[in-house]
Amino acid sequence: MRLPPRHRSPVWALLCTFSWQELRRHPWRSLAAIMAVLLGVALAFSVHLINASALDEFSQAVRSVNGRADLELRAVRGGFDEALYPRVVQQGGTAEASPVLELNTLLLTAQAPAGVPLRLLGVDALRLAGVAPDLIPRPHAEADRLDMLRPGRVFLNAAAQALAPEATQVQVQTEAGPVPLQVAGTLAVTGPATAVMDIAAAQDLFDRVGQLSRIDVRLQAGVDHASYLAALKLPADVLAHEPADAGQQIDQLSRAYRVNLTVLALVALFTGAFLVFSVLSLSVARRTRQFALLGVLGLPPRERARLVLYESLLLGGLGSVLGLVAGTALAALALRWLGGDLGGGYFTGVAPSLRWSPAAALLYGGLGVAAALAGGWWPARAAAALPPAPSLKGLGDAPSTGQGGMAGLVLMAMAGLLALSPPWWGIPVAAYVSVAALLVGGIVLLPSLMAAIDGPVANALQRHLLPLLAVERARRMRGMASSAISGVVASLSLAVALTVMVSSFRTSVIEWLDRVLPAPLYVHLQGSQQASEVLTLPQDWLKKAAALPSVQSSSRLRVRALQLMPGRPKVTLIAKDQLDDSKGLPLQGRVLETPPGAIGLYVSEAMVDLYLARPGEDFGLLAKAFPHRDGDSTGPATRFFVKGIWRDYARQSGTVVMDRADYEALSGDAQVNDLALWPKAGVAESVVESELRALPSSQGGSSAPLALEVASSAEIRERSLKIFDRSFAVTYWLQAVAIGIGLFGVAASFSAQVLARRKEFGLLTHLGLTRRQILAVVAGEGLVWTCIGAMAGLLLGLAVAVLLVKVVNPQSFHWSMELHAPWARLLALCLATVAAGTVTAWLSGRAAVSRDAVSAVREDW
């Protein structure tokens, strides 16, 4: 029987009222699902807004500095000979060419005497108008217009001025020490603290005479880039970059962090889908006779399914709208208080403003609605499949949502196959789908797990009435039980997975730090971590430090940045004294012998993935940084041999390690960034530190002590772990949100089920059970259900953790780690889940059995 079209509108108005009244009668169940969708949308949308705002601000700053150049000619390592510049100017097709010396140094102010990072650009002001107009110095009104060409003058952008407000003079750090510069004007450049001065003055000040960092080139209209570069014949150690390459570098470097953070934020939304499923499954089961009546009155199965889907749409729509509002507020607060990196450190120095995106709002709002509809799909099928006549007589119930063991096994198998898939576009898309398939498959198999566990338990409890009643109901109603605990299984499994993943990473980092910090003491100049190209330890000071009577031995370290490929993040080169296979490098696999005539290298795992630098093979890309040995341009190209792989958690874009003697012979660079020291036996580290700080240096004509940072390996270890914990602070919070939503969901589910069983409790009272015994049965049911849910969540969580540790992390960040499960913390999570479910069932049972037994079963008379 089907309703005529003229009767459908009044009926649907009645049905909408029916659904709305159902939601109003049980607000806590609905609130659990709405809150899950709300939090999922809010967290994911806020993470997107924060990252998008920071990336947009950074890209805008890059465009401001790079200007309208068609090509950027950059050195692979450090700088290149400025003799290339006249060739570029004279090359056919060149419209404008601007030479630039780019250095990272420190700005010393009264507020920050230790210095803050400053990007200093040496430019030819007369060449900027057609290439990078934002870099043109803007002298103060009272200043001389020629100040832009005079040494000792500097021009600051807004971010740099904010560090030294109203200052007429600032100090910048050089290798010879702090140098005062007169502030002669401003810049239009946006982004982090940036300063501009005359290029010749910058070369003199930083001992870079005859060197350039880059040449910005604007081509004549219609000139083909490839043909232009072929005619220019660039040296091997100079690469041509497109204008978009700089933005691509930070995008690639931060992409994995941003994507993983977004996926973690969607954990709450994933959990929300199961809570919607749980709420609507219980609602359909409770309203079996009402749906049956609608069927008898002529409402077809498809319309009954639509009714449930409309209810899920209402839940998802309310949660999504509220989530977008909350996400916008969260993003605004985070950008104001925390900046744009959320602990990742990719956008340090950038203070972005909120960029609200209607397209992103539609996307994440749509995800919330889709999650709710996905959660309501199976209950809608159950409502459509009800047999109207038997159900109306009380002889039929909602079809069990617990059937589908084969589907669960198929999903599990699919998860295993997807886990073997390589990353797509540099992102572990297949691995994320594998995680979702594993979780859904595990939850689909919940009824089978309940049957396997409850059967033997029930047989063992044949002589114990109350426990047997609790177990038998879970066994007989396993479909409904699965619906009730699906949300908590999803949230607990994800919480377990995140706990194991973070613990594995932290434990691996601790072991890694123990390997890479073999010396008791480490020394470098203040600020050299941010300005490694400028701030190096003086040679005379290094000799004096090594000769101290309190020092047994020392080891020097040189760190350089290499641009091996356009559009890729820079690779770090570490040149280390007496490179030893047995200490200082956490090596993976065996170490190969270096062939005669080659230079041996150790590469990080990222180098293998990004640059195919495989052990046992030559790494030809590095020859761009060192084209010829000892500067002989007529000799054969240097051969670099990869002899082993090491694990590097500090640098995601790749690291190459070579012996410092080889590096110095290739480059002629004898500079040192870090000094590792081993005190003599019985000498306290504090004694060595005092002697180092009192040690003078004659570099720059001054005999004053250097501004040193001296740290023990224990201090560096503690500081590194603090940075690690700060980076994962958002992960910890998302983990707490996921488990909180799950517990709230199981509380709402148990409350709804128990309150719907008042007639059953009345019948048990008539059969002679006391109120305390009924409450014991209810609490026992909660204990059985949540124990099975905790077991399933733990097992699924451990399986997901294996995927995160062994697949997602290597594909995202290009590093591996060992699996480490903190069993005490995992046990606490499971016990908290079991306790919450048991207590909630008991509290709900108190409300249900408080009514009079006769009135509770009146409908059955």
Side-chain angles (χ1 to χ4, degrees):
M1 178 179 176
R2 187 175 180 84
L3 289 173
R6 64 179 178 275
H7 293 307
R8 290 181 189 171
S9 296
V11 170
W12 270 105
L14 179 63
L15 293 179
C16 291
T17 304
F18 163 71
S19 296
W20 178 250
Q21 290 299 324
E22 170 65 18
L23 296 179
R24 288 186 60 190
R25 279 196 297 268
H26 304 282
W28 289 108
R29 288 188 305 161
S30 305
L31 184 61
I34 292 173
M35 284 297 295
V37 175
L38 183 156
L39 286 172
V41 172
L43 292 173
F45 188 52
S46 63
V47 167
H48 169 82
L49 289 179
I50 293 167
N51 285 318
S53 300
L55 187 60
D56 186 61
E57 183 75 20
F58 185 88
S59 300
Q60 183 177 336
V62 169
R63 291 192 297 269
S64 179
V65 171
N66 293 351
R68 298 192 292 261
D70 296 311
L71 289 173
E72 294 178 12
L73 309 182
R74 289 181 175 269
V76 175
R77 172 180 57 88
F80 56 85
D81 195 328
E82 66 180 11
L84 178 63
Y85 176 67
R87 284 177 49 198
V88 174
V89 173
Q90 297 166 12
Q91 176 68 36
T94 301
E96 297 281 352
S98 173
V100 179
L101 178 65
E102 184 175 347
L103 299 165
N104 291 317
T105 182
L106 298 178
L107 178 66
L108 308 176
T109 66
Q111 294 82 1
V116 291
L118 175 71
R119 185 185 199 182
L120 191 141
L121 304 173
V123 300
D124 183 349
L126 303 179
R127 294 283 186 177
L128 290 174
V131 181
D134 285 353
L135 288 179
I136 297 177
R138 300 176 178 181
H140 292 314
E142 68 279 3
D144 191 331
R145 291 291 176 182
L146 295 180
D147 275 353
M148 66 180 66
L149 304 177
R150 291 193 174 98
R153 305 295 193 273
V154 70
F155 299 81
L156 306 178
N157 74 338
Q161 292 177 63
L163 299 172
E166 301 181 1
T168 58
Q169 191 179 74
V170 295
Q171 287 187 321
V172 296
Q173 186 72 48
T174 69
E175 292 180 354
V179 174
L181 296 174
Q182 181 179 339
V183 179
T186 61
L187 294 173
V189 171
T190 59
T194 304
V196 161
M197 65 186 306
D198 181 66
I199 188 169
Q203 288 174 326
D204 290 335
L205 185 63
F206 291 93
D207 194 21
R208 299 292 194 276
V209 176
Q211 291 188 343
L212 298 176
S213 300
R214 76 173 198 254
I215 301 175
D216 297 336
V217 182
R218 190 167 63 85
L219 301 178
Q220 296 174 0
V223 175
D224 179 66
H225 290 196
S227 301
Y228 176 85
L229 292 173
L232 186 58
K233 296 181 180 178
L234 290 173
D237 59 345
V238 178
L239 293 179
H241 297 252
E242 298 286 343
D245 286 346
Q248 274 184 337
Q249 290 174 16
I250 190 64
D251 178 71
Q252 290 183 3
L253 193 61
S254 63
R255 181 193 301 167
Y257 183 79
R258 291 183 285 115
V259 170
N260 277 278
L261 202 57
T262 301
V263 171
L264 287 177
L266 290 172
V267 164
L269 194 57
F270 186 85
T271 307
F274 285 100
L275 285 182
V276 172
F277 164 73
S278 176
V279 166
L280 292 181
S281 293
L282 297 176
S283 176
V284 169
R286 199 186 65 81
R287 293 183 292 166
T288 297
R289 293 188 179 184
Q290 298 175 25
F291 280 108
L293 178 61
L294 293 174
V296 171
L297 294 176
L299 194 68
R302 180 179 298 177
E303 301 299 329
R304 297 200 298 271
R306 283 185 184 177
L307 179 61
V308 178
L309 289 177
Y310 286 151
E311 292 180 8
S312 65
L313 180 65
L314 177 62
L315 295 175
L318 286 174
S320 295
V321 171
L322 296 175
L324 292 176
V325 175
T328 303
L330 281 174
L333 292 174
L335 289 174
R336 180 176 180 182
W337 292 341
L338 305 177
D341 58 4
L342 283 179
Y346 297 104
F347 305 105
T348 302
V350 175
S353 56
L354 181 66
R355 266 84 161 177
W356 200 87
S357 170
L362 287 175
L363 172 63
Y364 286 96
L367 285 175
V369 172
L373 289 174
W377 178 75
W378 199 288
R381 287 190 58 192
L386 277 173
S391 298
L392 187 62
K393 297 176 182 179
L395 301 176
D397 291 315
S400 174
T401 58
Q403 306 303 318
M406 183 57 66
L409 293 176
V410 170
L411 286 170
M412 290 286 194
M414 186 175 71
L417 293 175
L418 287 170
L420 303 176
S421 175
W424 304 352
W425 311 290
I427 301 173
V429 177
Y432 290 134
V433 178
S434 174
V435 169
L438 183 64
L439 289 173
V440 175
I443 290 173
V444 170
L445 289 173
L446 272 178
S448 302
L449 177 65
M450 286 188 166
I453 294 176
D454 289 343
V457 173
N459 292 334
L461 296 176
Q462 290 295 329
R463 299 179 179 274
H464 305 279
L465 177 61
L466 297 183
L468 180 62
L469 284 175
V471 173
E472 277 294 334
R473 190 172 193 281
R475 180 185 179 187
R476 305 294 180 184
M477 305 294 292
R478 57 180 182 272
M480 186 175 293
S482 301
S483 302
I485 64 173
S486 60
V488 76
V489 170
S491 62
L492 179 61
S493 59
L494 289 168
V496 167
L498 291 178
T499 300
V500 174
M501 187 269 290
V502 174
S503 177
S504 299
F505 197 5
R506 200 176 194 277
T507 302
S508 298
V509 167
I510 292 173
E511 295 174 353
W512 177 79
L513 288 170
D514 292 339
R515 291 292 303 275
V516 299
L517 298 173
L521 283 178
Y522 291 86
V523 185
H524 57 258
L525 291 178
Q526 287 184 4
S528 64
Q529 304 291 332
Q530 297 84 18
S532 60
E533 299 293 322
V534 173
L535 301 181
T536 57
L537 293 166
Q539 293 296 321
D540 67 312
W541 186 91
L542 287 168
K543 294 178 181 177
K544 295 175 184 177
L548 286 173
S550 59
V551 173
Q552 180 179 351
S553 61
S554 63
S555 177
R556 304 180 183 187
L557 199 73
R558 178 62 166 145
V559 181
R560 299 298 301 269
L562 304 179
Q563 186 72 65
L564 296 182
M565 292 180 64
R568 289 277 182 90
K570 290 184 177 181
V571 171
T572 302
L573 171 67
I574 299 177
K576 186 176 181 182
D577 268 345
Q578 300 173 349
L579 191 58
D580 190 346
D581 300 347
S582 63
K583 66 177 184 179
L585 286 180
L587 299 173
Q588 308 296 303
R590 65 190 185 97
V591 177
L592 305 176
E593 291 293 329
T594 304
I599 293 178
L601 304 173
Y602 293 101
V603 298
S604 66
E605 296 166 301
M607 296 298 297
V608 180
D609 294 340
L610 299 177
Y611 296 95
L612 304 180
R614 299 186 179 94
E617 299 179 4
D618 290 348
F619 185 44
L621 274 179
L622 195 59
K624 293 181 179 180
F626 309 97
H628 302 281
R629 189 186 293 269
D630 300 326
D632 182 6
S633 59
T634 62
T638 309
R639 180 187 175 193
F640 297 96
F641 178 79
V642 180
K643 59 186 299 185
I645 301 174
W646 73 294
R647 185 177 290 175
D648 183 14
Y649 292 134
R651 289 158 285 262
Q652 179 187 334
S653 57
T655 313
V656 176
V657 183
M658 68 166 60
D659 193 277
R660 202 174 71 85
D662 290 331
Y663 169 78
E664 188 171 342
L666 288 170
S667 64
D669 177 13
Q671 301 297 319
V672 174
N673 297 100
D674 288 86
L675 180 67
L677 295 171
W678 283 263
K680 287 185 177 179
V683 178
E685 295 175 0
S686 58
V687 173
V688 180
E689 179 177 349
S690 300
E691 292 180 356
L692 290 170
R693 294 191 182 281
L695 202 60
S697 171
S698 59
Q699 182 168 325
S702 172
S703 59
L706 299 174
L708 298 175
E709 284 190 17
V710 183
S712 67
S713 56
E715 291 172 339
I716 297 175
R717 185 175 181 269
E718 181 181 358
R719 191 186 312 156
S720 301
L721 291 178
K722 284 183 179 179
I723 295 173
F724 177 92
D725 291 335
R726 186 174 67 245
S727 299
F728 279 90
V730 177
T731 304
Y732 296 141
W733 194 70
L734 291 174
Q735 177 183 348
V737 168
I739 193 66
I741 291 174
L743 292 177
F744 187 61
V746 76
S749 299
F750 273 119
S751 177
Q753 283 210 34
V754 171
L755 291 176
R757 294 164 58 195
R758 286 191 295 269
K759 289 192 295 183
E760 177 185 336
F761 296 147
L763 179 60
L764 292 176
T765 302
H766 279 290
L767 293 176
L769 268 68
T770 65
R771 183 173 182 269
R772 177 175 295 181
Q773 289 174 322
I774 294 175
L775 288 177
V777 171
V778 173
E781 291 176 10
L783 178 64
V784 171
W785 290 14
T786 49
C787 279
I788 295 175
M791 183 186 304
L794 179 62
L795 294 175
L796 284 176
L798 292 174
V800 172
V802 172
L803 287 176
L804 293 178
V805 171
K806 299 299 182 180
V807 181
V808 172
N809 269 291
Q811 291 186 2
S812 297
F813 301 103
H814 312 291
W815 53 50
S816 60
M817 65 185 76
E818 304 304 324
L819 193 68
H820 178 268
W823 294 110
R825 202 180 312 166
L826 297 181
L827 180 61
L829 279 174
C830 294
L831 290 178
T833 303
V834 172
T838 305
V839 171
T840 302
W842 182 78
L843 291 175
S844 302
R846 289 188 62 187
V849 301
S850 60
R851 300 198 173 192
D852 181 67
V854 175
S855 61
V857 296
R858 182 179 299 166
E859 295 179 6
D860 291 334
W861 291 358

